[in-house]
Amino acid sequence: MAEAVPVRCPACLRENGYTAPVFPCACGSPVNPPLDLSAPPVLLTHRTWSDSWVAVRCTTCGRESEWPHPELGCGSCGTVVRLPVHPLERPESGTGPGTGRGAGPGAAGAAGPAARRGEGPADTGAGAPADAVGDGRAGGAGGGGPAAARPDVGPAHIPPPPTAAVPRPAFRPVTIRTARDAVATAALYLRWLGFQDVRQPDGRPIPSAAVDLRAPGLVAQVDPTTAPAGLRAVECVWLNGLTASATSVYFSLAGYTADARDRADELGIPLFVMDLTGMPQPVNDPADELVGSGA
């Protein structure tokens, strides 16, 4: 966990302790925005969606992802400030982590095809016979060349086989005539997938056209309007699922914008579209996987 740092409020000059949030990278490693403590905090008077996100690079795999920009509310006067973050340092051409996005094509090209296949250095040295590199029986001292030390296995990045479909009875749709019918159909479909105790959360609903559905390990939203669900809606349900450590699912009657579908594919959010017959249909790969594997 990151250490707390003092942040001075620009309005009342009181110091507040702040601990940078830690987010989970896709590789499983924790990432947190690198705070720029040498720069003063910025008074937040107008919030925009684009400025609320900051790009952070994972130090383990090199993946670049966008996470909420660090903010702090003063405990004395209530002023909200945005904390400066070090910008991403773009690696030079041909440098960067070999397993992350920072590795450019020049790095792989310089190593040569043999090095990319794991068969040893691209340059075998002057006078070295060509078959001595790929044949483990022709090694030097120690009884083997680079190929001898490499186990005889297939490629390391073979995708796992698809999960076998869970046997279940056919889903019986409910005709959608009202927005309440759309919510009821989504709840029935989630129960059919295997989620238990699907219900609307208690408390005052957030002013929004979408309706929340919750279950153990599940955060879902149902948009019964006639407008396609946009990028912000997809990112909001993802953040709600991230906060609850649950699977995020989205249902829409009017489909999704292109930006929303692309973002959902990046975040792994299952998207479903419902027609008036009440039959949800998966529209992306995460949704197909959820239907195949169940809850």
Side-chain angles (χ1 to χ4, degrees):
M1 184 175 181
E3 297 181 357
V5 296
V7 177
R8 186 179 298 276
C9 175
C12 66
L13 302 181
R14 175 184 175 181
E15 282 194 351
N16 298 266
Y18 177 78
T19 303
V22 179
F23 303 105
C25 179
C27 71
S29 301
V31 296
N32 58 300
L35 301 178
D36 185 2
L37 301 179
S38 62
V42 179
L43 188 65
L44 188 58
T45 58
H46 177 70
R47 189 189 303 275
T48 62
W49 183 255
S50 58
D51 292 340
S52 299
W53 299 86
V54 61
V56 182
R57 179 181 292 116
C58 176
T59 57
T60 302
C61 68
R63 181 188 299 268
E64 295 180 10
S65 304
E66 289 190 346
W67 300 100
H69 202 293
E71 296 178 359
L72 172 66
C74 179
S76 177
C77 64
T79 300
V80 179
V81 295
R82 178 171 291 153
L83 279 64
V85 175
H86 288 289
L88 285 180
E89 295 182 0
R90 299 297 176 183
E92 298 180 359
S93 178
T95 62
T99 58
R101 295 184 179 179
R116 289 196 299 270
R117 292 194 302 267
E119 296 177 4
D123 186 3
T124 59
D131 58 354
V133 177
D135 191 354
R137 295 169 296 179
R150 188 181 75 255
D152 188 11
V153 296
H157 300 290
I158 299 178
T163 306
V166 177
R168 63 172 72 94
F171 176 71
R172 300 179 62 181
V174 178
T175 303
I176 297 177
R177 298 182 178 89
T178 64
R180 181 172 296 181
D181 292 338
V183 176
T185 298
L188 287 174
Y189 192 77
L190 290 170
R191 295 189 187 102
W192 178 75
L193 288 176
F195 293 99
Q196 304 296 325
D197 194 23
V198 180
R199 58 185 176 82
Q200 289 185 237
D202 299 329
R204 186 176 181 179
I206 300 175
S208 172
V211 180
D212 284 340
L213 289 175
R214 299 294 177 96
L218 170 73
V219 172
Q221 278 199 330
V222 185
D223 187 355
T225 65
T226 57
L231 174 65
R232 181 172 183 176
V234 169
E235 290 181 332
C236 283
V237 73
W238 171 71
L239 283 174
N240 290 337
L242 185 67
T243 303
S245 299
T247 301
S248 301
V249 184
Y250 206 100
F251 294 85
S252 175
L253 276 178
Y256 305 85
T257 63
D259 291 340
R261 292 189 60 172
D262 292 341
R263 189 61 170 161
D265 290 339
E266 294 175 3
L267 300 175
I269 300 177
L271 301 181
F272 293 88
V273 63
M274 298 185 296
D275 56 18
L276 296 182
T277 64
M279 187 64 188
Q281 298 291 341
V283 298
N284 62 350
D285 291 339
D288 287 330
E289 295 174 2
L290 180 60
V291 173
S293 62

